[in-house]
Amino acid sequence: MPRRGRALQAAIILVALCAAATLWFRVPFPRDGKLDSQRTEAMLSREERAAGYATELAHLDAKIEFLAARAAAAANDWTLYEALASACLERARFACRLEDFRRAESALARAFEVAEPGSGPFLLRARLNSALHRFDRIESDLASIEKGVLVDAHTRAAIALQRGDLEFQCGRYDSALSNYEKSWSLDPEPETACAFANYHAKLGFDAKAAEWTEVAARRVRGPSPVLRSWLYLQRGLMRLDRGEYDAALDEYSRAGAALPGWWLIEEHIAEAQALLGNTAQALEIYARVEQATGNSEFMAAIAAIHKSAGRIEEASEWALRAGREYDRLLAEHPEAYAAHALEYFLDWDTEPGRALRLAEENFQLRPGAEARILLARAHLKAQRPEDARDVIEVALASPWRTAELHAAAAAVYAALGDDARAED
């Protein structure tokens, strides 16, 4: 079956590896940061071993309810609305629910309404806009923070990290690295270590990416089911990107044991099972996760499995469901879902013009190599291989090095009749 987009990783739908929410880092990790499953399981209390996704979600819900009541009781304190927005954003990333993003937006809007002119939760709004892929709105908020009279090292580090993420999405990789290094020198937080890991993974430095994943673990002290699960997931993603599907599945299984019931881990287990040819297991998991989340990406994955097995009627039914949901999501949050929907339209839509339009819009938002790959594929779908070549060759000339890049380039050169280059 075709590989799906990796936008759901890490941090998950709308969460990149380097944009981990405070939920994942609020509880300390073992001091040596080792990800040995037997050792870390032994360190957990009975209560921590029993805590799963449902328990973590219940904690978040209680936190949101408490903060909402506090904010309502002190309507002129913008910091309470900031705290509420932050908790809603945590839940949005953890539970994959669009309504949580809406609630975070609403709380942020209220915070700025009651804040004095020139003050307010600018950094949190930048993070929310990053999660929703509104990259053109981020820099102005970062600049507003820097205008403050006293900006501590922790805040300056957070600004540099956010700016590095923005530069990375826009394909300015040297600038992204410089900002990550600045953030690390000011305040070496685990989020920044994760940004380094993602940077090196996408540029083809697998060993360095793995090292930085371990560094992220060492920067947090004490056990945490959520963090352990998430770090196992990152190791699995790196294995999957190298085609090591059995090894990836092992890492995902450890992630699932660390935090039972988390849909994010289960959908990656399903993907690995499908790639290994275990389609019955994959379908069972995808169906369960789709029912729990209503996520269109999982509908499309189910459709792809049925299509590969020749069950065209079932594939069409699931594809239509996914298409209707993507139409709804694009109408509400076009920036956030452009790349997700684009993967679907490239695989299923019979009108290549729509995929091309989405790819161009996505590229305008984030003109990095990842968006170039999608744009090249859209040009191919529209029978425009020369345009696809112009786009993909810029990506090939960049430091970006992923299997998806080379697969797209091979398809482009094959369409142009350049068999030798395609084979290379």
Side-chain angles (χ1 to χ4, degrees), residues 199 224 334 407:
Y199 175 92
S224 166

Side-chain angles (χ1 to χ4, degrees), residues 124-160:
L124 183 60
R125 188 165 66 181
R127 286 171 173 162
L128 176 64
N129 282 327
S130 179
L132 292 174
H133 296 184
R134 297 168 177 166
F135 299 115
D136 56 335
R137 305 184 189 184
I138 294 172
E139 180 56 38
S140 60
D141 276 339
L142 300 182
S144 294
I145 304 169
E146 291 175 321
K147 293 176 183 176
V149 177
L150 296 175
V151 183
D152 60 29
H154 177 77
T155 302
R156 286 186 286 123
I159 292 170

Side-chain angles (χ1 to χ4, degrees), residues 185-206:
S185 67
L186 288 166
D187 193 10
E189 290 290 325
E191 293 94 332
T192 310
C194 289
F196 277 120
N198 186 52
Y199 175 92
H200 289 300
K202 296 304 184 185
L203 271 59
F205 303 110
D206 295 333

Side-chain angles (χ1 to χ4, degrees), residues 87-101:
C88 291
L89 182 56
E90 274 189 60
R91 195 186 195 286
R93 287 166 157 168
F94 193 47
C96 186
R97 293 292 183 182
L98 189 59
E99 53 265 32
D100 293 321
F101 282 109

Side-chain angles (χ1 to χ4, degrees), residues 151-356:
V151 183
D152 60 29
H154 177 77
T155 302
R156 286 186 286 123
I159 292 170
L161 175 59
Q162 193 67 61
R163 192 167 277 144
D165 292 344
L166 179 60
E167 294 293 277
F168 187 81
Q169 290 291 335
C170 292
R172 297 185 285 268
Y173 303 114
D174 289 342
S175 179
L177 182 59
S178 295
N179 276 285
Y180 293 151
E181 289 171 344
K182 179 180 179 181
S183 179
W184 185 257
S185 67
L186 288 166
D187 193 10
E189 290 290 325
E191 293 94 332
T192 310
C194 289
F196 277 120
N198 186 52
Y199 175 92
H200 289 300
K202 296 304 184 185
L203 271 59
F205 303 110
D206 295 333
K208 285 188 176 181
E211 288 172 9
W212 277 107
T213 302
E214 301 297 335
V215 170
R218 290 197 296 270
R219 298 307 301 180
V220 189
R221 296 169 297 280
S224 166
V226 179
L227 176 59
R228 289 191 307 113
S229 180
W230 188 76
L231 289 172
Y232 285 131
L233 172 61
Q234 303 320 307
R235 298 206 312 190
L237 287 167
M238 293 176 192
R239 294 296 187 92
L240 196 80
D241 285 343
R242 294 198 295 266
E244 301 169 4
Y245 303 142
D246 284 308
L249 188 57
D250 287 342
E251 298 291 353
Y252 296 157
S253 297
R254 294 186 180 100
L259 190 69
W262 193 4
W263 62 270
L264 177 65
I265 307 303
E266 292 190 354
E267 72 99 352
H268 281 91
I269 290 174
E271 181 182 25
Q273 292 283 19
L275 290 166
L276 286 166
N278 304 323
T279 55
Q281 296 96 315
L283 278 174
E284 180 183 351
I285 299 170
Y286 272 133
R288 182 170 67 246
V289 175
E290 186 278 326
Q291 185 174 20
T293 64
N295 193 300
S296 50
E297 190 164 344
F298 307 145
M299 300 175 194
I302 293 171
I305 292 175
H306 283 305
K307 183 179 180 181
S308 66
R311 296 186 289 269
I312 304 304
E313 184 175 349
E314 291 93 333
S316 298
E317 290 176 1
W318 279 102
L320 284 172
R321 286 183 58 186
R324 287 194 294 267
E325 181 64 9
Y326 275 127
D327 286 337
R328 183 184 72 83
L329 294 172
L330 284 170
E332 295 189 33
H333 285 284
E335 304 97 336
Y337 288 95
H340 298 269
L342 180 53
E343 289 278 0
Y344 167 82
F345 288 117
L346 283 170
D347 289 336
W348 295 97
D349 198 4
T350 58
E351 298 180 11
R354 185 170 189 184
L356 184 57

